[in-house]
Amino acid sequence: MSSSSALLLLDDVTKVYHMGDVEVHALRGVSLSVEEGEFVAIMGASGSGKSTLMNIIGCLDRPTRGRYLLAGEEVSTLDRNALAEKRNRTLGFVFQNFNLLSRTSAIENVELPLLYAGLHTRERHEHSRAALARVGLGDRMHHHPNQMSGGQQQRVAIARALVANPKVILADEPTGNLDSVTSVEVMAIFQELCDSGITVVLVTHEPDIARYAARVVVMRDGRIRSDSRQEPQRAVPAPAEATAGGEP
Ligand code: ADP
Ligand code: MG
């Protein structure tokens, strides 16, 4: 695999947190190269460094040592504003707890990342509508998250991650709060995004979820313990009536 074409390239990345006098070595030399269009699951026990790795990939935190190149550009050379701009242009985030504003409609939640992009209201609406349609929520744009099931809320969050047309979606335990039927629906959406050329990096501790990825990276004690490719299982959502209990 040539590093020049890598979308994400980490070279011997170390992360040390200081807690008073104690040093916590969250990452102990991680090298990882992800090409455009890959679907990578990151696994590993609690405390193995998965979230730290995702925060560095997501430019939310910087390595203590080592290099990180995002789309060919070394992140450490960018100032705060350039980094924020690069993050907004390149990355979309999905979290375990959805992180939606609960009393704000789905479409307004999805529009949030566009408020800083200098788009007109109409363009924001169009992009947000399209993103919600892409995750199967075109008919629920004006519902509020507190009127939606967990699976629907996570789909709103995925639409929000998609709306600015990112190259990469980073998802930390996106199915952690969902039942298994709903998890498959959400994984089917990630697979569709991946089929359309978006790179997906997803943290999970569930082997049942990791089998939908084409590559599995296992972390242990701040290091990559294994990195392997597999034929991903296709996520096939259950028929609609099976999920009807989750509909408001
Ligand atoms: P995981 O997501 O795999 O559970 P983390 O990346 O959250 O692992 O944590 C890796 C290690 O780094 C753990 O020992 C954790 O306690 C420590 N850690 C994570 N974030 C911080 C922080 N902000 N300050 C201090 N220690 C941290
Ligand atoms: Mg974590």
Side-chain angles (χ1 to χ4, degrees):
M1 191 178 301
S2 91
S3 59
S4 58
S5 67
L7 184 55
L8 312 174
L9 183 67
L10 291 92
D11 180 17
D12 204 13
V13 165
T14 296
K15 182 71 191 181
V16 182
Y17 292 110
H18 294 275
M19 309 246 313
D21 293 343
V22 180
E23 286 190 346
V24 180
H25 293 257
L27 297 178
R28 297 170 180 266
V30 169
S31 296
L32 179 69
S33 163
V34 177
E35 308 284 312
E36 197 156 1
E38 282 200 276
F39 191 153
V40 184
I42 297 179
M43 298 195 72
S46 178
S48 59
K50 304 182 298 294
S51 292
T52 301
L53 178 60
M54 289 294 266
N55 288 342
I56 287 173
I57 292 173
C59 306
L60 300 168
D61 206 348
R62 291 175 187 275
T64 305
R65 279 185 298 278
R67 292 193 316 151
Y68 172 38
L69 278 74
L70 173 57
E73 197 167 22
E74 182 152 3
V75 165
S76 64
T77 63
L78 302 175
D79 68 24
R80 213 184 162 80
N81 289 335
L83 187 60
E85 208 216 315
K86 175 134 189 150
R87 190 166 59 220
N88 294 339
R89 231 184 18 230
T90 316
L91 306 171
F93 296 90
V94 177
F95 305 94
Q96 178 170 357
N97 298 320
F98 322 134
N99 287 10
L100 300 172
L101 301 175
S102 64
R103 294 193 295 170
T104 303
S105 68
I107 189 155
E108 287 172 307
N109 270 282
V110 173
E111 276 179 17
L112 283 178
L114 299 178
L115 287 178
Y116 311 98
L119 294 178
H120 291 294
T121 311
R122 226 183 91 199
E123 286 175 292
R124 287 206 306 269
H125 272 12
E126 279 168 15
H127 289 299
S128 304
R129 229 183 274 265
L132 280 165
R134 207 163 160 189
V135 299
L137 288 177
D139 57 347
R140 283 190 168 70
M141 291 191 299
H142 301 292
H143 286 56
H144 290 191
N146 59 12
Q147 304 169 312
M148 292 178 153
S149 67
Q152 289 169 343
Q153 290 181 57
Q154 193 57 299
R155 284 193 272 156
V156 173
I158 294 171
R160 181 185 56 191
L162 273 179
V163 73
N165 205 18
K167 286 182 187 297
V168 188
I169 300 257
L170 300 174
D172 197 344
E173 300 272 7
T175 62
N177 285 344
L178 303 178
D179 62 59
S180 57
V181 171
T182 308
S183 295
V184 176
E185 290 172 16
V186 164
M187 293 309 291
I189 292 172
F190 284 123
Q191 286 188 334
E192 280 166 30
L193 299 181
C194 193
D195 290 345
S196 76
I198 294 177
T199 306
V200 179
V201 181
L202 175 151
V203 167
T204 182
H205 61 264
E206 297 171 77
D208 279 358
I209 295 298
R211 67 187 176 165
Y212 298 115
R215 179 175 173 192
V216 180
V217 171
V218 180
M219 300 287 300
R220 186 157 111 192
D221 298 335
R223 293 191 174 92
I224 292 178
R225 196 186 114 199
S226 66
D227 181 352
S228 54
R229 286 163 205 281
Q230 63 185 12
E231 185 58 40
Q233 175 148 338
R234 206 64 212 169
V236 182
E241 56 272 22
T243 58
E247 310 281 314

